[in-house]
Amino acid sequence: MASRRDFLTLSAATVLGELIALPGGTGRCAEPVENEPLQKRLVADPHRPRCHLMPPANWMNDPNGPVFWNGQYHMFYQYNPNGAFPESMHWGHAVSPDMVHWKHLPTALAPTPGGPDKDGCWSGCAVVAGRVPTIVYTGVFPQVQCLARSDDGMMSWRKFVGNPVIAVPPQGMETMGFRDPCVWHEADEWFLGLGSGIKGQGGMVLLYRSTDLIHWDYLHLLCRGRKEELLPGKDPVSTGEMWECPDFFPLAGKHTLLVSTQGAVIYSVGSYVNHYFRPEVQGKADLGGCYYAARSMVDEKRRRILWGWIKEGRSDAAQRAAGWAGVMSLPRVLTLGPDGTLGMAPAPEIEALRGKHLRFENLPIAPGSSPLLKGVRGDSLEIHAEIEPGASETVGLKVRTAPGGEEETLVTYSRISGRLLVERERSSLSRDVDRGSQGGPFALAPGETLKLHIFLDASVIEIFANDRACLTSRIYPSRPDSLGLGAFARGGKARLKALDVWEMRPISPDRLTT
Ligand code: FRU
């Protein structure tokens, strides 16, 4: 076993020193943004979410090591303190009593000059070994696996002096990547799944075993992709030759593997026997193109909760200019559907943000005319609608609609094509933002109503359909009056059985400090 002396302390002084030297002087995560022009811009930015976890400024991507420990939720995430672009990855850190309201803590991990993570502390996980919180993450370059521990309740982290704990891929294996450890405890041993893949073959998860989290033996492939599933693409992740961010866990008597590849989070539900995972049912955890690198945790009530990185839908230059990029998704409760697919619903804890409420009942939806619902305006709304599709071919809601319809975003279910879509063509008058439709297969059973649970938060839209499909997207309306909400139908009449809408309260008064 390693002793305390084997771990280097990432002291507050180091963190502060590194951050003070940064251009922009944004200060530590735990403190307000100190650069006044940037702070003003962030507060005034109509596209910056107010109800989602994100760093006070700068870039974030993957959720890392979400964990419930000592009565609190800890969330780490890939973070660049130098600006709104993906470089020099640190681990940002926030803590919450309820998965909804967050307080920023000092950066947990920063690259150590000359160390195995000198070029970045990439994604990984957090586990509590005995009583010791431990982070297992990827150091770059080359990609190696490293360890850090905390003795003070996760306030600071000491890197293991013997890092890396896994230095090279298994002998004879020419991998296209070797990263993003996911660790779990099973029958008194630790297991680690690592994202990897082989050129021309497909993505895979390498399986390791350890008794102390330090010495790891390679066992075999936990699971591998199939050649036939590869897509044309410019890099191994877009083709599917490389799987990023594996997450592996038991769920309702089966096992679930998540991997991020080909621009999406792919889930497989299957059986786990003799340390081999055999997928039986597969799908996408999200039908939009903006949700990635998802990681799960077990919450206080023993539910399996999923978090994901919500990517931006605008140019790198626009992200840098805004001074922030990337948002953490709202927490999703995972369940197993009767057909073996993954069920997903927003965690009820989010209801804590509900403010003013309006309810509409039993409204006809005629094709061709779709008046806006009276009295509803907002860019921070929770919407719960139940719609009878009736004779319509396509039915849905329109959100962020300008009074004259100059801008609007449609959330649609098409009975004809069996798809759930977010139609963004007219979501913004700006030419600089993504406006393509996003979505995927979704079908209602005969007689089933369409239940849309939508969270609008500035440029983020998260859609849950009938608690079994999710679609996360980004919209950047340019008009300040693009705030209306309505229902619409095409090809036949439908009915809005009921619609509840709540204003959502911001998770912090100024969104910058807590
Ligand atoms: C996924 C990913 C991971 C990597 C991290 C780097 O988005 O590419 O594979 O560890 O981001 O920030």
Side-chain angles (χ1 to χ4, degrees):
M1 278 302 257
S3 75
R4 278 183 58 124
R5 282 199 317 277
D6 293 334
F7 285 82
L8 294 173
T9 302
L10 177 73
S11 67
T14 324
V15 173
L16 212 57
E18 278 167 12
L19 293 184
I20 281 169
L22 300 172
T26 52
R28 291 169 59 186
C29 244
E31 291 166 5
V33 174
E34 281 160 16
N35 171 334
E36 232 187 277
L38 173 61
Q39 177 163 19
K40 282 206 177 117
R41 219 161 66 231
L42 293 171
V43 173
D45 188 338
H47 301 308
R48 190 167 156 79
R50 299 181 290 273
C51 307
H52 284 73
L53 168 63
M54 53 198 302
N58 304 318
W59 169 274
M60 72 153 270
N61 54 297
D62 312 357
N64 291 151
V67 61
F68 177 69
W69 184 65
N70 272 355
Q72 285 190 307
Y73 295 95
H74 288 263
M75 174 64 81
F76 305 89
Y77 52 85
Q78 291 284 282
Y79 171 61
N80 176 13
N82 300 346
F85 50 93
E87 255 177 44
S88 175
M89 284 304 163
H90 290 51
W91 275 43
H93 185 188
V95 69
S96 168
D98 58 3
M99 302 192 282
V100 175
H101 299 90
W102 295 91
K103 182 171 161 287
H104 292 294
L105 292 181
T107 305
L109 297 177
T112 299
D117 60 9
K118 61 183 186 321
D119 294 316
C121 301
W122 282 18
S123 287
C125 59
V127 291
V128 179
R131 303 174 65 83
V132 187
T134 304
I135 285 175
V136 190
Y137 68 101
T138 297
V140 290
F141 288 106
Q143 294 172 18
V144 295
Q145 315 320 315
C146 299
L147 214 73
R149 288 184 174 161
S150 175
D151 304 309
D152 58 0
M154 300 205 194
M155 291 306 289
S156 68
W157 296 83
R158 290 174 296 118
K159 293 180 185 174
F160 178 47
V161 291
N163 277 341
V165 292
I166 306 179
V168 285
Q171 223 183 355
M173 220 183 251
E174 272 196 38
T175 60
M176 306 219 63
F178 183 61
R179 59 177 181 268
D180 309 336
C182 154
V183 173
W184 67 94
H185 201 234
E186 191 187 314
D188 278 345
E189 290 179 308
W190 293 101
F191 288 83
L192 180 153
L194 204 57
S196 193
I198 292 191
K199 195 170 168 54
Q201 299 291 313
M204 57 200 198
V205 179
L206 309 174
L207 184 66
Y208 291 79
R209 178 164 57 192
S210 170
T211 51
D212 58 6
L213 292 170
I214 287 174
H215 303 94
W216 292 96
D217 294 321
Y218 174 64
L219 295 182
H220 49 244
L221 297 182
L222 174 68
C223 182
R224 66 185 303 165
R226 294 184 305 140
K227 260 193 207 169
E228 307 80 75
E229 288 162 355
L230 297 180
L231 297 176
K234 53 182 179 357
D235 62 76
V237 176
S238 54
T239 59
E241 286 163 303
M242 167 66 200
W243 286 354
E244 302 184 293
C245 301
D247 199 57
F248 186 60
F249 51 87
L251 187 71
K254 305 295 285 183
H255 268 74
T256 299
L257 174 69
L258 305 173
V259 296
S260 291
T261 190
Q262 298 177 337
V265 179
I266 312 286
Y267 76 78
S268 308
V269 175
S271 55
Y272 177 50
V273 180
N274 296 329
H275 302 115
Y276 287 92
F277 175 66
R278 306 240 177 278
E280 290 157 7
V281 177
Q282 286 186 312
K284 282 189 182 176
D286 196 285
L287 301 174
C290 300
Y291 182 89
Y292 200 66
R295 290 270 179 173
S296 74
M297 67 177 195
V298 175
D299 79 353
E300 191 176 12
K301 298 181 179 143
R302 310 297 305 160
R303 297 171 303 181
R304 182 58 65 171
I305 307 291
L306 191 66
W307 302 92
W309 161 39
I310 305 180
K311 299 181 186 188
E312 296 300 317
R314 51 184 177 170
S315 68
D316 294 353
Q319 296 176 34
R320 280 179 192 250
W324 64 276
V327 183
M328 189 69 70
S329 71
L330 293 173
R332 297 180 182 177
V333 181
L334 298 184
T335 49
L336 201 58
D339 55 355
T341 58
L342 207 55
M344 289 169 284
E349 280 75 359
I350 306 165
E351 292 171 12
L353 300 180
R354 285 178 178 174
K356 197 176 137 204
H357 171 234
L358 285 174
R359 182 174 169 88
F360 302 83
E361 277 176 8
N362 208 17
L363 300 178
I365 314 175
S369 98
S370 51
L372 293 175
L373 294 172
K374 283 215 179 71
V376 185
R377 278 164 64 83
D379 65 349
S380 260
L381 298 177
E382 176 184 349
I383 304 157
H384 196 287
E386 185 171 5
I387 299 173
E388 286 168 2
S392 66
E393 290 175 359
T394 299
V395 69
L397 297 179
K398 50 184 191 175
V399 300
R400 300 298 308 269
T401 304
E406 297 88 343
E407 289 184 327
E408 67 181 7
T409 299
L410 305 179
V411 179
T412 66
Y413 162 64
S414 162
R415 190 167 49 84
I416 307 300
S417 64
R419 289 173 84 76
L420 182 73
L421 286 183
V422 52
E423 296 181 17
R424 300 186 297 177
E425 286 73 8
R426 293 192 301 114
S427 61
S428 177
L429 294 172
S430 160
R431 303 284 115 183
D432 290 339
V433 301
D434 293 352
R435 289 177 306 142
S437 291
Q438 293 183 320
F442 174 77
L444 292 177
E448 192 183 10
T449 54
L450 175 65
K451 294 192 185 106
L452 292 175
H453 200 163
I454 300 177
F455 297 86
L456 284 182
D457 184 12
S459 53
V460 168
I461 173 166
E462 279 175 276
I463 303 157
F464 293 78
N466 294 56
D467 285 351
R468 61 174 185 266
C470 283
L471 202 176
T472 302
S473 191
R474 300 305 295 266
I475 47 173
Y476 303 87
S478 65
R479 292 175 56 123
D481 59 354
S482 291
L483 299 169
L485 170 67
F488 76 96
R490 293 179 196 138
K493 278 193 217 153
R495 178 166 290 274
L496 185 65
K497 239 181 126 183
L499 183 142
D500 288 287
V501 54
W502 294 264
E503 277 175 3
M504 287 178 81
R505 284 191 285 257
I507 60 176
S508 76
D510 62 4
R511 5 168 183 164
L512 297 173
T513 49
T514 55

